[in-house]
Amino acid sequence: MAEKTLNDLFLDTVKDIYYAERQILKALPKMARAAQSQELKAAFEKHKSETETHVERLQQVFELIGKPARGKTCEAIQGIIAEGEEIIEEFKGSPALDAGLISSAQAVEHYEITRYGTLKAWATQLGMKEAADLFAATLAEESATDMALSDLAGTSANTKGKKKAA
Ligand code: FE
Ligand code: FE
């Protein structure tokens, strides 16, 4: 068997995040429907359209490296999304629901942030400037989303979550 290189690791990781992004695309409308506050609904909807762009950027990366756009099952994102679904079920109708939705959405963003941070570094290492720029663009949007979610948690969801349902 041929020795595996950073190029192989790079391709595997692109496939991992491609799978993850497409799962996230399916999860975000459910999160938006479940959210109680209009601001949180709007935040999930906005990030859904950004996520469509993330999928397209990954398709561009597959093109750049001359490989078919194909995902590879990512159990990490499946687990994070499953936890979010559990929160939706268990906290339905509760004032803590939005705080829970934000916490699971931030777990998703942090997963993406580690992946894109790594991919950007590897693309740079491998001399793939165009791919590195695509990863950097997505990374900036994931980080901005994470910060926006922190703000929403700080301004309303967490305090509201402490109150008993009226
Ligand atoms: Fe994304
Ligand atoms: Fe994201």
Side-chain angles (χ1 to χ4, degrees), residues 57 116-117 119-121 129-143:
R57 288 195 187 115
Y116 285 110
L119 283 168
K120 185 184 139 207
K129 163 113 179 58
E130 221 175 310
D133 289 347
L134 289 165
F135 294 136
T138 297
L139 182 57
E141 288 168 2
E142 311 293 20
S143 300

Side-chain angles (χ1 to χ4, degrees), residues 21 24 47 51 54 109 112 116 138 142:
E21 288 284 15
I24 295 164
H47 198 53
T51 300
H54 301 172
E109 294 317 306
E112 294 183 288
Y116 285 110
T138 297
E142 311 293 20

Side-chain angles (χ1 to χ4, degrees), residues 22-103:
R22 291 196 302 170
Q23 295 301 115
I24 295 164
L25 204 49
K26 284 195 264 176
L28 279 166
K30 296 182 202 165
M31 309 269 288
R33 267 199 303 277
Q36 291 169 330
S37 86
Q38 284 312 311
E39 295 99 309
L40 187 55
K41 270 185 201 296
F44 287 145
E45 276 156 14
K46 176 179 181 225
H47 198 53
K48 183 189 176 259
S49 70
E50 288 173 344
T51 300
E52 285 164 3
T53 307
H54 301 172
V55 169
E56 287 165 13
R57 288 195 187 115
L58 288 170
Q59 288 164 345
Q60 290 177 51
V61 171
F62 280 113
E63 252 186 71
L64 285 169
I65 55 182
K67 301 279 182 195
R70 210 168 280 155
K72 180 182 177 199
T73 306
C74 165
E75 288 177 11
I77 204 70
Q78 284 179 337
I80 293 170
I81 290 173
E83 280 185 1
E85 284 167 352
E86 217 174 280
I87 286 174
I88 294 177
E89 250 172 62
E90 290 175 10
F91 287 83
K92 209 183 285 167
S94 131
L97 177 63
D98 280 4
L101 288 172
I102 291 174
S103 75

